[in-house]
Amino acid sequence: MPDRIYLDHAATMPLRPEARTAMEEGFDQWANPSSPHAQGRKARKLLEDARERVKAALDWEGEVIFTSGASEAAALALRHAKAGARLVSTVEHDCMLQAAPDAERLPVRSDGALDLDILCEAAQRETPLVAVQQVNSETGSRQDLAAIAGIVHQAGGLLLVDCAQGAGKMPLPPCDMAVLAAHKFGGPIGVGALLVRDYAMLAPSGGQERGYRRGTENMPGVLAMAAALEACDQPFLDPHILAPLNELSAICRDIGGAWLSDCLADPTPYIRAVAMPNMSATAQVMRFDMAGIAVSQGSACSSGTMKTSRVLDAMQVEPEIAANTIRVSVGWNTTRADVERFCEVWLELAKS
């Protein structure tokens, strides 16, 4: 039986070998980093060393609060930031929206970009906290965070950026806080971080992590996360690997499909949303799986509902296109052969 092809890296990237090695070493040295005995002090030293390595890998001069992942990091920021109104874009990940259910929703344009005119008006709230993603997990759309940061900071507000899909692939944007998930860049599941430019921006909420987070730190996971970030210094993707997708896009348009990158203000190459004519996304995901290829129907946290994507709905994508759209996402171990095989199967399904 041939090896399966994994093209759902936006949901979870395979564990990098450097991260696996670091995690195993962490288990060998395991003790509670808060314990005062020798083993605990050794674990604390490893944890703090990893903290500095994360800062260096991300070129971040602020603070790092280790968490269990992006969802916890988002909740810490949105619930404890010393700011007034919470403003969250309509296309944010579910963890952002659930952490601030009463937040004002900021609309995006049909090209996926945040409506900056509406942001300018909304940012006049007293010391707002504005939450915007760096890269959308369903479409690959990248926000103009330099412009957004300028608006937010001119209004005296704080900017929180969900960098889960961008960290390790592109530089961090200008922001006051950032959310990370290790498993999105080849680290393990169950560990992440909230980056904070200054602890003074956040109200303490627990006993660990300088008093800003409750719970014993996942030292092996943190070591693996640091190692995965350091491995990201290598080139992420060779354009040669993605060339077959560019060729497929022309065929997709010719036969009546939709290549959503065409309509995005700033698409990224490693997440592609593609609509096949005359076949639902649900059916496509099943057929690709039968062919040995893993793709998805949007965000992993919401794809199981089989409902039309709220992200595509917020972008005013036509319902018949949204219903037929799948997500293809590539990562550090994707090969050109993987991409070529996806294109072959896509064409077979589109012509069936």
Side-chain angles (χ1 to χ4, degrees), residues 80 94 104 141 144 177 199 202 268 349:
H80 299 285
D94 284 348
E104 180 176 345
S141 178
D144 185 353
M177 303 181 193
Y199 280 134
L202 203 64
T268 49
L349 295 179

Side-chain angles (χ1 to χ4, degrees), residues 18-337:
E18 299 90 343
R20 181 184 297 275
T21 298
M23 197 168 192
E24 291 172 351
E25 292 173 353
F27 285 132
D28 289 339
Q29 302 296 331
W30 174 247
N32 191 321
S34 297
S35 297
H37 47 61
Q39 292 94 328
R41 294 196 304 273
K42 186 172 184 179
R44 170 60 58 182
K45 185 178 185 302
L46 290 170
L47 184 77
E48 296 307 322
D49 177 66
R51 197 186 310 275
E52 294 305 314
R53 290 165 57 198
V54 167
K55 290 183 185 181
L58 294 170
D59 195 23
W60 177 254
E61 296 181 354
E63 309 295 343
V64 175
I65 300 171
F66 291 122
T67 66
S68 61
S71 295
E72 184 189 359
L76 279 176
L78 286 163
R79 295 172 186 171
H80 299 285
K82 295 179 180 178
R86 269 53 174 168
L87 311 177
V88 181
S89 92
T90 55
V91 294
E92 294 304 301
H93 190 276
D94 284 348
C95 73
M96 286 282 190
L97 300 179
Q98 292 168 2
D102 298 324
E104 180 176 345
R105 303 291 177 88
L106 300 172
V108 296
R109 306 181 318 218
S110 60
D111 62 2
L114 192 68
D115 190 316
L116 299 187
D117 291 333
I118 292 179
L119 173 63
C120 285
E121 180 181 350
Q124 299 310 309
R125 314 289 192 277
E126 184 178 357
T127 320
L129 174 67
V130 179
V132 182
Q133 62 201 178
Q134 186 177 24
V135 176
N136 186 269
S137 62
E138 294 190 34
T139 66
S141 178
R142 178 166 50 187
Q143 296 292 343
D144 185 353
L145 285 161
I148 292 170
I151 293 170
V152 173
H153 291 150
Q154 185 175 21
L158 300 177
L159 178 61
L160 166 66
V161 179
D162 177 0
C163 295
Q165 296 294 346
K169 308 176 187 75
M170 60 185 67
L172 290 178
C175 60
D176 302 295
M177 303 181 193
V179 169
L180 305 183
H183 71 107
K184 301 296 188 179
F185 49 76
I189 293 172
V191 64
L194 174 65
L195 310 185
V196 185
R197 184 158 54 83
D198 190 326
Y199 280 134
M201 296 176 172
L202 203 64
S205 59
Q208 283 77 16
E209 290 299 282
R210 311 295 201 279
Y212 288 88
R213 186 254 183 182
R214 293 188 181 278
T216 302
E217 294 98 338
N218 177 4
M219 190 268 286
V222 166
L223 294 181
M225 177 169 133
L229 275 175
E230 290 169 342
C232 291
D233 282 343
Q234 303 164 12
F236 177 58
L237 280 174
D238 184 339
H240 173 75
I241 293 174
L242 300 177
L245 285 177
N246 299 329
E247 297 168 6
L248 178 65
S249 67
I251 300 173
C252 175
R253 300 181 196 103
D254 289 342
I255 65 174
W259 201 263
L260 268 67
S261 294
D262 292 344
C263 71
L264 298 180
D266 188 9
T268 49
Y270 51 86
I271 298 176
R272 310 287 183 100
V274 187
M276 181 184 294
N278 305 319
M279 185 177 293
S280 72
T282 302
Q284 290 178 63
V285 170
M286 294 174 62
R287 296 283 293 275
F288 273 109
D289 193 46
M290 292 171 62
I293 303 174
V295 295
S296 66
Q297 187 179 350
S299 172
C301 297
S302 58
S303 61
T305 65
M306 300 303 177
K307 296 179 180 178
T308 301
S309 163
R310 59 173 178 76
V311 170
L312 300 183
D313 184 56
M315 292 173 55
Q316 302 174 43
V317 174
E318 296 177 11
E320 58 270 25
I321 293 177
N324 290 4
T325 297
I326 64 169
R327 178 185 70 184
V328 183
S329 51
V330 299
W332 64 269
N333 64 346
T334 302
T335 67
R336 183 182 172 103

